[in-house]
PDB file of all heavy atoms in Angstrom:
ATOM      1  N   GLY A 194     -10.589   4.671   0.759  1.00 98.00           N
ATOM      2  CA  GLY A 194      -9.710   3.977   1.656  1.00 98.00           C
ATOM      3  C   GLY A 194      -8.551   4.943   2.085  1.00 98.00           C
ATOM      4  O   GLY A 194      -7.514   4.457   2.484  1.00 98.00           O
ATOM      5  N   ALA A 196      -8.007   7.005   4.533  1.00 98.00           N
ATOM      6  CA  ALA A 196      -7.572   7.221   5.896  1.00 98.00           C
ATOM      7  C   ALA A 196      -6.535   6.162   6.394  1.00 98.00           C
ATOM      8  O   ALA A 196      -5.994   6.309   7.439  1.00 98.00           O
ATOM      9  CB  ALA A 196      -8.742   7.193   6.862  1.00 98.00           C
ATOM     10  N   GLY A 197      -6.290   5.163   5.546  1.00 98.00           N
ATOM     11  CA  GLY A 197      -5.272   4.119   5.915  1.00 98.00           C
ATOM     12  C   GLY A 197      -3.847   4.561   5.786  1.00 98.00           C
ATOM     13  O   GLY A 197      -3.588   5.745   5.526  1.00 98.00           O
ATOM     14  N   TYR A 198      -3.002   3.570   5.916  1.00 98.00           N
ATOM     15  CA  TYR A 198      -1.516   3.835   5.944  1.00 98.00           C
ATOM     16  C   TYR A 198      -1.072   4.533   4.659  1.00 98.00           C
ATOM     17  O   TYR A 198      -0.486   5.683   4.716  1.00 98.00           O
ATOM     18  CB  TYR A 198      -0.812   2.504   6.138  1.00 98.00           C
ATOM     19  CG  TYR A 198       0.652   2.493   5.999  1.00 98.00           C
ATOM     20  CD1 TYR A 198       1.432   3.442   6.729  1.00 98.00           C
ATOM     21  CD2 TYR A 198       1.320   1.500   5.369  1.00 98.00           C
ATOM     22  CE1 TYR A 198       2.776   3.420   6.644  1.00 98.00           C
ATOM     23  CE2 TYR A 198       2.729   1.470   5.294  1.00 98.00           C
ATOM     24  CZ  TYR A 198       3.433   2.363   5.990  1.00 98.00           C
ATOM     25  OH  TYR A 198       4.838   2.344   5.865  1.00 98.00           O
ATOM     26  N   ILE A 199      -1.258   3.886   3.530  1.00 99.00           N
ATOM     27  CA  ILE A 199      -0.766   4.436   2.253  1.00 99.00           C
ATOM     28  C   ILE A 199      -1.559   5.661   1.826  1.00 99.00           C
ATOM     29  O   ILE A 199      -1.071   6.659   1.327  1.00 99.00           O
ATOM     30  CB  ILE A 199      -0.654   3.410   1.207  1.00 99.00           C
ATOM     31  CG1 ILE A 199       0.302   2.268   1.668  1.00 99.00           C
ATOM     32  CG2 ILE A 199      -0.116   3.981  -0.095  1.00 99.00           C
ATOM     33  CD1 ILE A 199       0.186   0.985   0.791  1.00 99.00           C
ATOM     34  N   GLY A 200      -2.908   5.647   2.020  1.00 99.00           N
ATOM     35  CA  GLY A 200      -3.748   6.636   1.634  1.00 99.00           C
ATOM     36  C   GLY A 200      -3.470   8.024   2.356  1.00 99.00           C
ATOM     37  O   GLY A 200      -3.364   9.082   1.721  1.00 99.00           O
ATOM     38  N   VAL A 217     -12.893   8.864   1.239  1.00 99.00           N
ATOM     39  CA  VAL A 217     -14.040   8.150   1.741  1.00 99.00           C
ATOM     40  C   VAL A 217     -13.433   6.879   2.404  1.00 99.00           C
ATOM     41  O   VAL A 217     -12.577   6.222   1.885  1.00 99.00           O
ATOM     42  CB  VAL A 217     -15.080   7.737   0.682  1.00 99.00           C
ATOM     43  CG1 VAL A 217     -14.456   6.993  -0.502  1.00 99.00           C
ATOM     44  CG2 VAL A 217     -16.267   6.906   1.221  1.00 99.00           C
ATOM     45  N   ASP A 218     -13.904   6.602   3.636  1.00 98.00           N
ATOM     46  CA  ASP A 218     -13.383   5.498   4.340  1.00 98.00           C
ATOM     47  C   ASP A 218     -14.400   4.965   5.356  1.00 98.00           C
ATOM     48  O   ASP A 218     -15.151   5.870   5.937  1.00 98.00           O
ATOM     49  CB  ASP A 218     -12.031   5.820   5.110  1.00 98.00           C
ATOM     50  CG  ASP A 218     -11.165   4.669   5.403  1.00 98.00           C
ATOM     51  OD1 ASP A 218     -11.600   3.739   6.036  1.00 98.00           O
ATOM     52  OD2 ASP A 218     -10.046   4.624   4.812  1.00 98.00           O
ATOM     53  N   ASN A 219     -14.530   3.683   5.589  1.00 98.00           N
ATOM     54  CA  ASN A 219     -15.373   3.201   6.630  1.00 98.00           C
ATOM     55  C   ASN A 219     -14.682   2.913   7.990  1.00 98.00           C
ATOM     56  O   ASN A 219     -15.273   2.423   8.914  1.00 98.00           O
ATOM     57  CB  ASN A 219     -16.174   1.959   6.184  1.00 98.00           C
ATOM     58  CG  ASN A 219     -15.345   0.825   5.906  1.00 98.00           C
ATOM     59  OD1 ASN A 219     -14.086   0.901   6.057  1.00 98.00           O
ATOM     60  ND2 ASN A 219     -15.846  -0.279   5.536  1.00 98.00           N
ATOM     61  N   TYR A 220     -13.361   3.252   7.999  1.00 98.00           N
ATOM     62  CA  TYR A 220     -12.530   3.043   9.193  1.00 98.00           C
ATOM     63  C   TYR A 220     -12.543   1.610   9.717  1.00 98.00           C
ATOM     64  O   TYR A 220     -12.345   1.367  10.848  1.00 98.00           O
ATOM     65  CB  TYR A 220     -13.017   4.003  10.307  1.00 98.00           C
ATOM     66  CG  TYR A 220     -13.148   5.409   9.869  1.00 98.00           C
ATOM     67  CD1 TYR A 220     -14.331   6.168  10.049  1.00 98.00           C
ATOM     68  CD2 TYR A 220     -12.150   6.075   9.188  1.00 98.00           C
ATOM     69  CE1 TYR A 220     -14.515   7.481   9.632  1.00 98.00           C
ATOM     70  CE2 TYR A 220     -12.261   7.410   8.741  1.00 98.00           C
ATOM     71  CZ  TYR A 220     -13.421   8.050   8.986  1.00 98.00           C
ATOM     72  OH  TYR A 220     -13.537   9.340   8.542  1.00 98.00           O
ATOM     73  N   TYR A 221     -12.670   0.722   8.755  1.00 97.00           N
ATOM     74  CA  TYR A 221     -12.541  -0.731   9.142  1.00 97.00           C
ATOM     75  C   TYR A 221     -11.106  -0.991   9.654  1.00 97.00           C
ATOM     76  O   TYR A 221     -10.943  -1.805  10.636  1.00 97.00           O
ATOM     77  CB  TYR A 221     -12.812  -1.560   7.881  1.00 97.00           C
ATOM     78  CG  TYR A 221     -12.778  -3.033   8.103  1.00 97.00           C
ATOM     79  CD1 TYR A 221     -13.897  -3.776   8.435  1.00 97.00           C
ATOM     80  CD2 TYR A 221     -11.545  -3.758   8.016  1.00 97.00           C
ATOM     81  CE1 TYR A 221     -13.885  -5.140   8.631  1.00 97.00           C
ATOM     82  CE2 TYR A 221     -11.437  -5.110   8.157  1.00 97.00           C
ATOM     83  CZ  TYR A 221     -12.659  -5.771   8.573  1.00 97.00           C
ATOM     84  OH  TYR A 221     -12.633  -7.141   8.813  1.00 97.00           O
ATOM     85  N   ASN A 222     -10.192  -0.328   9.106  1.00 97.00           N
ATOM     86  CA  ASN A 222      -8.700  -0.554   9.557  1.00 97.00           C
ATOM     87  C   ASN A 222      -7.987   0.810   9.738  1.00 97.00           C
ATOM     88  O   ASN A 222      -6.891   0.894   9.449  1.00 97.00           O
ATOM     89  CB  ASN A 222      -8.027  -1.420   8.487  1.00 97.00           C
ATOM     90  CG  ASN A 222      -6.707  -1.940   9.065  1.00 97.00           C
ATOM     91  OD1 ASN A 222      -6.675  -2.318  10.179  1.00 97.00           O
ATOM     92  ND2 ASN A 222      -5.690  -1.993   8.191  1.00 97.00           N
ATOM     93  N   SER A 223      -8.785   1.860  10.168  1.00 97.00           N
ATOM     94  CA  SER A 223      -8.127   3.190  10.354  1.00 97.00           C
ATOM     95  C   SER A 223      -9.031   4.026  11.150  1.00 97.00           C
ATOM     96  O   SER A 223     -10.017   3.487  11.679  1.00 97.00           O
ATOM     97  CB  SER A 223      -7.987   3.753   8.918  1.00 97.00           C
ATOM     98  OG  SER A 223      -9.217   3.886   8.250  1.00 97.00           O
ATOM     99  N   GLY A 244     -17.993   6.185   5.047  1.00 98.00           N
ATOM    100  CA  GLY A 244     -18.872   5.295   4.332  1.00 98.00           C
ATOM    101  C   GLY A 244     -18.216   4.130   3.702  1.00 98.00           C
ATOM    102  O   GLY A 244     -16.928   4.116   3.713  1.00 98.00           O
ATOM    103  N   ASP A 245     -19.064   3.213   3.360  1.00 99.00           N
ATOM    104  CA  ASP A 245     -18.511   1.912   2.717  1.00 99.00           C
ATOM    105  C   ASP A 245     -18.433   2.147   1.188  1.00 99.00           C
ATOM    106  O   ASP A 245     -19.434   2.437   0.565  1.00 99.00           O
ATOM    107  CB  ASP A 245     -19.416   0.733   3.094  1.00 99.00           C
ATOM    108  CG  ASP A 245     -18.829  -0.560   2.782  1.00 99.00           C
ATOM    109  OD1 ASP A 245     -18.172  -0.729   1.667  1.00 99.00           O
ATOM    110  OD2 ASP A 245     -18.970  -1.490   3.648  1.00 99.00           O
ATOM    111  N   VAL A 246     -17.267   1.866   0.659  1.00 99.00           N
ATOM    112  CA  VAL A 246     -17.075   2.023  -0.783  1.00 99.00           C
ATOM    113  C   VAL A 246     -17.863   0.976  -1.614  1.00 99.00           C
ATOM    114  O   VAL A 246     -18.116   1.196  -2.791  1.00 99.00           O
ATOM    115  CB  VAL A 246     -15.518   1.944  -1.122  1.00 99.00           C
ATOM    116  CG1 VAL A 246     -15.275   2.066  -2.676  1.00 99.00           C
ATOM    117  CG2 VAL A 246     -14.785   3.080  -0.402  1.00 99.00           C
ATOM    118  N   LYS A 247     -18.368  -0.053  -0.946  1.00 98.00           N
ATOM    119  CA  LYS A 247     -19.274  -0.952  -1.727  1.00 98.00           C
ATOM    120  C   LYS A 247     -20.632  -0.396  -1.966  1.00 98.00           C
ATOM    121  O   LYS A 247     -21.421  -0.852  -2.730  1.00 98.00           O
ATOM    122  CB  LYS A 247     -19.485  -2.256  -0.808  1.00 98.00           C
ATOM    123  CG  LYS A 247     -18.217  -3.050  -0.539  1.00 98.00           C
ATOM    124  CD  LYS A 247     -18.483  -4.448  -0.117  1.00 98.00           C
ATOM    125  CE  LYS A 247     -19.129  -4.564   1.242  1.00 98.00           C
ATOM    126  NZ  LYS A 247     -18.244  -4.090   2.451  1.00 98.00           N
ATOM    127  N   HIS A 266      -7.930   3.985  -5.726  1.00 99.00           N
ATOM    128  CA  HIS A 266      -8.636   2.889  -4.997  1.00 99.00           C
ATOM    129  C   HIS A 266      -7.754   2.111  -4.067  1.00 99.00           C
ATOM    130  O   HIS A 266      -7.077   1.188  -4.399  1.00 99.00           O
ATOM    131  CB  HIS A 266      -9.229   1.978  -6.019  1.00 99.00           C
ATOM    132  CG  HIS A 266     -10.064   0.844  -5.396  1.00 99.00           C
ATOM    133  ND1 HIS A 266     -10.445   0.817  -4.137  1.00 99.00           N
ATOM    134  CD2 HIS A 266     -10.522  -0.315  -5.944  1.00 99.00           C
ATOM    135  CE1 HIS A 266     -11.174  -0.270  -3.853  1.00 99.00           C
ATOM    136  NE2 HIS A 266     -11.183  -1.020  -4.958  1.00 99.00           N
ATOM    137  N   PHE A 267      -7.658   2.657  -2.756  1.00 99.00           N
ATOM    138  CA  PHE A 267      -6.918   1.902  -1.696  1.00 99.00           C
ATOM    139  C   PHE A 267      -7.780   1.010  -0.837  1.00 99.00           C
ATOM    140  O   PHE A 267      -7.280   0.277   0.011  1.00 99.00           O
ATOM    141  CB  PHE A 267      -6.355   2.980  -0.732  1.00 99.00           C
ATOM    142  CG  PHE A 267      -5.354   3.996  -1.220  1.00 99.00           C
ATOM    143  CD1 PHE A 267      -5.787   5.298  -1.545  1.00 99.00           C
ATOM    144  CD2 PHE A 267      -4.052   3.701  -1.504  1.00 99.00           C
ATOM    145  CE1 PHE A 267      -4.877   6.256  -1.926  1.00 99.00           C
ATOM    146  CE2 PHE A 267      -3.149   4.626  -1.924  1.00 99.00           C
ATOM    147  CZ  PHE A 267      -3.567   5.873  -2.196  1.00 99.00           C
ATOM    148  N   ALA A 268      -9.120   1.099  -0.997  1.00 98.00           N
ATOM    149  CA  ALA A 268     -10.065   0.507  -0.046  1.00 98.00           C
ATOM    150  C   ALA A 268     -10.090  -0.988  -0.207  1.00 98.00           C
ATOM    151  O   ALA A 268     -10.762  -1.570  -1.044  1.00 98.00           O
ATOM    152  CB  ALA A 268     -11.490   1.122  -0.245  1.00 98.00           C
ATOM    153  N   GLY A 269      -9.280  -1.643   0.604  1.00 98.00           N
ATOM    154  CA  GLY A 269      -9.271  -3.108   0.570  1.00 98.00           C
ATOM    155  C   GLY A 269      -8.829  -3.700   1.871  1.00 98.00           C
ATOM    156  O   GLY A 269      -8.308  -2.981   2.750  1.00 98.00           O
ATOM    157  N   LEU A 270      -9.163  -4.990   2.093  1.00 98.00           N
ATOM    158  CA  LEU A 270      -8.631  -5.760   3.190  1.00 98.00           C
ATOM    159  C   LEU A 270      -7.317  -6.340   2.745  1.00 98.00           C
ATOM    160  O   LEU A 270      -7.187  -6.805   1.617  1.00 98.00           O
ATOM    161  CB  LEU A 270      -9.615  -6.765   3.657  1.00 98.00           C
ATOM    162  CG  LEU A 270     -11.034  -6.315   3.959  1.00 98.00           C
ATOM    163  CD1 LEU A 270     -11.938  -7.422   4.408  1.00 98.00           C
ATOM    164  CD2 LEU A 270     -11.018  -5.149   4.929  1.00 98.00           C
ATOM    165  N   LYS A 271      -6.306  -6.406   3.601  1.00 97.00           N
ATOM    166  CA  LYS A 271      -4.982  -6.707   3.190  1.00 97.00           C
ATOM    167  C   LYS A 271      -4.192  -7.741   3.991  1.00 97.00           C
ATOM    168  O   LYS A 271      -3.000  -7.891   3.731  1.00 97.00           O
ATOM    169  CB  LYS A 271      -4.202  -5.443   3.021  1.00 97.00           C
ATOM    170  CG  LYS A 271      -3.982  -4.779   4.386  1.00 97.00           C
ATOM    171  CD  LYS A 271      -2.886  -3.705   4.397  1.00 97.00           C
ATOM    172  CE  LYS A 271      -2.702  -3.144   5.768  1.00 97.00           C
ATOM    173  NZ  LYS A 271      -1.538  -2.272   5.897  1.00 97.00           N
ATOM    174  N   ASN A 286     -15.474  -7.868  -0.115  1.00 98.00           N
ATOM    175  CA  ASN A 286     -15.081  -6.481   0.158  1.00 98.00           C
ATOM    176  C   ASN A 286     -14.228  -5.957  -1.060  1.00 98.00           C
ATOM    177  O   ASN A 286     -14.527  -4.858  -1.578  1.00 98.00           O
ATOM    178  CB  ASN A 286     -14.254  -6.378   1.391  1.00 98.00           C
ATOM    179  CG  ASN A 286     -14.106  -4.889   1.748  1.00 98.00           C
ATOM    180  OD1 ASN A 286     -14.961  -4.174   2.241  1.00 98.00           O
ATOM    181  ND2 ASN A 286     -12.817  -4.389   1.601  1.00 98.00           N
ATOM    182  N   THR A 290     -16.023  -3.375  -3.788  1.00 98.00           N
ATOM    183  CA  THR A 290     -15.601  -1.922  -3.776  1.00 98.00           C
ATOM    184  C   THR A 290     -15.130  -1.500  -5.178  1.00 98.00           C
ATOM    185  O   THR A 290     -15.570  -0.381  -5.651  1.00 98.00           O
ATOM    186  CB  THR A 290     -14.424  -1.679  -2.842  1.00 98.00           C
ATOM    187  OG1 THR A 290     -13.357  -2.721  -3.113  1.00 98.00           O
ATOM    188  CG2 THR A 290     -14.775  -1.780  -1.317  1.00 98.00           C
ATOM    189  N   SER A 309      -4.392   0.291  -6.270  1.00 98.00           N
ATOM    190  CA  SER A 309      -3.389  -0.267  -5.351  1.00 98.00           C
ATOM    191  C   SER A 309      -3.264  -1.733  -5.543  1.00 98.00           C
ATOM    192  O   SER A 309      -3.904  -2.515  -4.896  1.00 98.00           O
ATOM    193  CB  SER A 309      -3.798  -0.095  -3.904  1.00 98.00           C
ATOM    194  OG  SER A 309      -3.940   1.240  -3.572  1.00 98.00           O
ATOM    195  N   SER A 310      -2.358  -2.139  -6.520  1.00 98.00           N
ATOM    196  CA  SER A 310      -2.164  -3.599  -6.609  1.00 98.00           C
ATOM    197  C   SER A 310      -0.902  -3.944  -5.874  1.00 98.00           C
ATOM    198  O   SER A 310      -0.349  -3.160  -5.080  1.00 98.00           O
ATOM    199  CB  SER A 310      -2.053  -3.984  -8.085  1.00 98.00           C
ATOM    200  OG  SER A 310      -2.142  -5.421  -8.207  1.00 98.00           O
ATOM    201  N   SER A 311      -0.438  -5.192  -6.093  1.00 98.00           N
ATOM    202  CA  SER A 311       0.719  -5.658  -5.256  1.00 98.00           C
ATOM    203  C   SER A 311       1.562  -6.570  -6.068  1.00 98.00           C
ATOM    204  O   SER A 311       1.088  -7.231  -7.049  1.00 98.00           O
ATOM    205  CB  SER A 311       0.031  -6.513  -4.128  1.00 98.00           C
ATOM    206  OG  SER A 311       0.969  -7.319  -3.519  1.00 98.00           O
ATOM    207  N   TYR A 336      -6.113 -13.156  -0.638  1.00 98.00           N
ATOM    208  CA  TYR A 336      -5.811 -11.713  -0.719  1.00 98.00           C
ATOM    209  C   TYR A 336      -5.170 -11.397  -2.118  1.00 98.00           C
ATOM    210  O   TYR A 336      -5.562 -10.520  -2.895  1.00 98.00           O
ATOM    211  CB  TYR A 336      -4.912 -11.224   0.383  1.00 98.00           C
ATOM    212  CG  TYR A 336      -4.203  -9.948   0.114  1.00 98.00           C
ATOM    213  CD1 TYR A 336      -4.958  -8.734   0.190  1.00 98.00           C
ATOM    214  CD2 TYR A 336      -2.843  -9.822  -0.325  1.00 98.00           C
ATOM    215  CE1 TYR A 336      -4.352  -7.507  -0.104  1.00 98.00           C
ATOM    216  CE2 TYR A 336      -2.266  -8.676  -0.562  1.00 98.00           C
ATOM    217  CZ  TYR A 336      -2.983  -7.502  -0.491  1.00 98.00           C
ATOM    218  OH  TYR A 336      -2.395  -6.326  -0.776  1.00 98.00           O
ATOM    219  N   LYS A 340      -6.333  -9.267  -5.658  1.00 98.00           N
ATOM    220  CA  LYS A 340      -5.632  -8.207  -6.456  1.00 98.00           C
ATOM    221  C   LYS A 340      -5.535  -8.623  -7.886  1.00 98.00           C
ATOM    222  O   LYS A 340      -5.754  -7.738  -8.749  1.00 98.00           O
ATOM    223  CB  LYS A 340      -4.258  -8.060  -5.836  1.00 98.00           C
ATOM    224  CG  LYS A 340      -4.187  -7.418  -4.483  1.00 98.00           C
ATOM    225  CD  LYS A 340      -4.544  -6.023  -4.498  1.00 98.00           C
ATOM    226  CE  LYS A 340      -4.636  -5.380  -3.095  1.00 98.00           C
ATOM    227  NZ  LYS A 340      -5.446  -4.117  -3.075  1.00 98.00           N
ATOM    228  N   TYR A 364       2.645  -2.385  -5.762  1.00 98.00           N
ATOM    229  CA  TYR A 364       3.580  -2.062  -4.673  1.00 98.00           C
ATOM    230  C   TYR A 364       4.403  -3.233  -4.272  1.00 98.00           C
ATOM    231  O   TYR A 364       3.925  -4.325  -4.207  1.00 98.00           O
ATOM    232  CB  TYR A 364       2.752  -1.624  -3.392  1.00 98.00           C
ATOM    233  CG  TYR A 364       1.695  -0.626  -3.540  1.00 98.00           C
ATOM    234  CD1 TYR A 364       0.701  -0.582  -2.576  1.00 98.00           C
ATOM    235  CD2 TYR A 364       1.622   0.366  -4.617  1.00 98.00           C
ATOM    236  CE1 TYR A 364      -0.349   0.406  -2.649  1.00 98.00           C
ATOM    237  CE2 TYR A 364       0.635   1.308  -4.560  1.00 98.00           C
ATOM    238  CZ  TYR A 364      -0.363   1.280  -3.662  1.00 98.00           C
ATOM    239  OH  TYR A 364      -1.342   2.195  -3.718  1.00 98.00           O
ATOM    240  N   PHE A 365       5.639  -2.890  -3.838  1.00 98.00           N
ATOM    241  CA  PHE A 365       6.435  -3.928  -3.212  1.00 98.00           C
ATOM    242  C   PHE A 365       6.223  -3.838  -1.674  1.00 98.00           C
ATOM    243  O   PHE A 365       5.046  -3.975  -1.276  1.00 98.00           O
ATOM    244  CB  PHE A 365       7.890  -3.881  -3.735  1.00 98.00           C
ATOM    245  CG  PHE A 365       7.896  -4.513  -5.123  1.00 98.00           C
ATOM    246  CD1 PHE A 365       7.280  -3.819  -6.154  1.00 98.00           C
ATOM    247  CD2 PHE A 365       8.405  -5.702  -5.263  1.00 98.00           C
ATOM    248  CE1 PHE A 365       7.226  -4.600  -7.466  1.00 98.00           C
ATOM    249  CE2 PHE A 365       8.344  -6.428  -6.522  1.00 98.00           C
ATOM    250  CZ  PHE A 365       7.739  -5.832  -7.614  1.00 98.00           C
ATOM    251  N   PRO A 367       5.902  -1.519   1.299  1.00 98.00           N
ATOM    252  CA  PRO A 367       5.964  -0.188   1.909  1.00 98.00           C
ATOM    253  C   PRO A 367       6.262  -0.280   3.460  1.00 98.00           C
ATOM    254  O   PRO A 367       5.507  -0.970   4.118  1.00 98.00           O
ATOM    255  CB  PRO A 367       4.558   0.398   1.618  1.00 98.00           C
ATOM    256  CG  PRO A 367       3.814  -0.602   0.939  1.00 98.00           C
ATOM    257  CD  PRO A 367       4.559  -1.923   0.900  1.00 98.00           C
ATOM    258  N   GLU A 378       2.073   3.701  10.102  1.00 98.00           N
ATOM    259  CA  GLU A 378       1.235   2.468  10.054  1.00 98.00           C
ATOM    260  C   GLU A 378       0.736   2.038  11.446  1.00 98.00           C
ATOM    261  O   GLU A 378       1.584   2.045  12.354  1.00 98.00           O
ATOM    262  CB  GLU A 378       2.127   1.326   9.510  1.00 98.00           C
ATOM    263  CG  GLU A 378       1.374   0.111   9.165  1.00 98.00           C
ATOM    264  CD  GLU A 378       2.121  -0.855   8.313  1.00 98.00           C
ATOM    265  OE1 GLU A 378       3.348  -0.694   8.096  1.00 98.00           O
ATOM    266  OE2 GLU A 378       1.488  -1.814   7.751  1.00 98.00           O
TER     267      GLU A 378
HETATM  268  P1  LIG S 218      -4.949   0.188   5.209  1.00 66.39           P
HETATM  269  O1  LIG S 218      -5.717  -0.972   5.713  1.00 66.39           O
HETATM  270  O2  LIG S 218      -4.142   0.989   6.140  1.00 66.39           O
HETATM  271  O3  LIG S 218      -5.842   1.072   4.286  1.00 66.39           O
HETATM  272  C1  LIG S 218      -6.989   0.599   3.623  1.00 66.39           C
HETATM  273  C2  LIG S 218      -8.109   1.522   4.006  1.00 66.39           C
HETATM  274  O4  LIG S 218      -9.243   1.079   3.313  1.00 66.39           O
HETATM  275  C3  LIG S 218      -8.444   1.479   5.505  1.00 66.39           C
HETATM  276  O5  LIG S 218      -8.476   2.850   5.953  1.00 66.39           O
HETATM  277  C4  LIG S 218      -9.786   0.810   5.555  1.00 66.39           C
HETATM  278  O6  LIG S 218     -10.564   1.263   6.685  1.00 66.39           O
HETATM  279  C5  LIG S 218     -10.321   1.103   4.202  1.00 66.39           C
HETATM  280  N1  LIG S 218     -11.406   0.266   3.772  1.00 66.39           N
HETATM  281  C6  LIG S 218     -11.350  -1.115   3.567  1.00 66.39           C
HETATM  282  N2  LIG S 218     -12.500  -1.548   3.080  1.00 66.39           N
HETATM  283  C7  LIG S 218     -13.359  -0.521   2.936  1.00 66.39           C
HETATM  284  C8  LIG S 218     -14.600  -0.348   2.446  1.00 66.39           C
HETATM  285  N3  LIG S 218     -15.318  -1.344   2.026  1.00 66.39           N
HETATM  286  N4  LIG S 218     -15.159   0.946   2.375  1.00 66.39           N
HETATM  287  C9  LIG S 218     -14.401   1.952   2.849  1.00 66.39           C
HETATM  288  N5  LIG S 218     -13.181   1.896   3.273  1.00 66.39           N
HETATM  289  C10 LIG S 218     -12.666   0.677   3.319  1.00 66.39           C
HETATM  290  O7  LIG S 218      -3.875  -0.430   4.100  1.00 66.39           O
HETATM  291  P2  LIG S 218      -2.725   0.164   3.316  1.00 66.39           P
HETATM  292  O8  LIG S 218      -1.510  -0.471   3.733  1.00 66.39           O
HETATM  293  O9  LIG S 218      -2.878   1.677   3.334  1.00 66.39           O
HETATM  294  O10 LIG S 218      -3.022  -0.400   1.829  1.00 66.39           O
HETATM  295  C11 LIG S 218      -3.848   0.358   0.923  1.00 66.39           C
HETATM  296  C12 LIG S 218      -4.033  -0.507  -0.298  1.00 66.39           C
HETATM  297  O11 LIG S 218      -2.727  -0.937  -0.825  1.00 66.39           O
HETATM  298  C13 LIG S 218      -4.863  -1.803  -0.016  1.00 66.39           C
HETATM  299  O12 LIG S 218      -5.676  -2.086  -1.089  1.00 66.39           O
HETATM  300  C14 LIG S 218      -3.784  -2.818   0.025  1.00 66.39           C
HETATM  301  O13 LIG S 218      -4.210  -4.094  -0.219  1.00 66.39           O
HETATM  302  C15 LIG S 218      -2.758  -2.348  -0.975  1.00 66.39           C
HETATM  303  N6  LIG S 218      -1.361  -2.814  -0.772  1.00 66.39           N
HETATM  304  C16 LIG S 218      -0.839  -2.630   0.463  1.00 66.39           C
HETATM  305  C17 LIG S 218       0.469  -3.106   0.641  1.00 66.39           C
HETATM  306  C18 LIG S 218       1.116  -2.960   2.033  1.00 66.39           C
HETATM  307  O14 LIG S 218       2.055  -3.674   2.285  1.00 66.39           O
HETATM  308  N7  LIG S 218       0.688  -2.048   2.926  1.00 66.39           N
HETATM  309  C19 LIG S 218       1.102  -3.793  -0.344  1.00 66.39           C
HETATM  310  C20 LIG S 218       0.552  -4.017  -1.596  1.00 66.39           C
HETATM  311  C21 LIG S 218      -0.802  -3.435  -1.793  1.00 66.39           C
END
Side-chain angles (χ1 to χ4, degrees):
Y198 172 47
I199 301 170
V217 56
D218 206 298
N219 63 359
Y220 309 127
Y221 183 91
N222 194 35
S223 57
D245 192 320
V246 176
K247 298 196 291 298
H266 181 16
F267 298 105
L270 306 183
K271 61 162 186 176
N286 190 73
T290 49
S309 298
S310 191
S311 164
Y336 163 75
K340 291 291 175 199
Y364 308 157
F365 282 72
E378 188 167 12

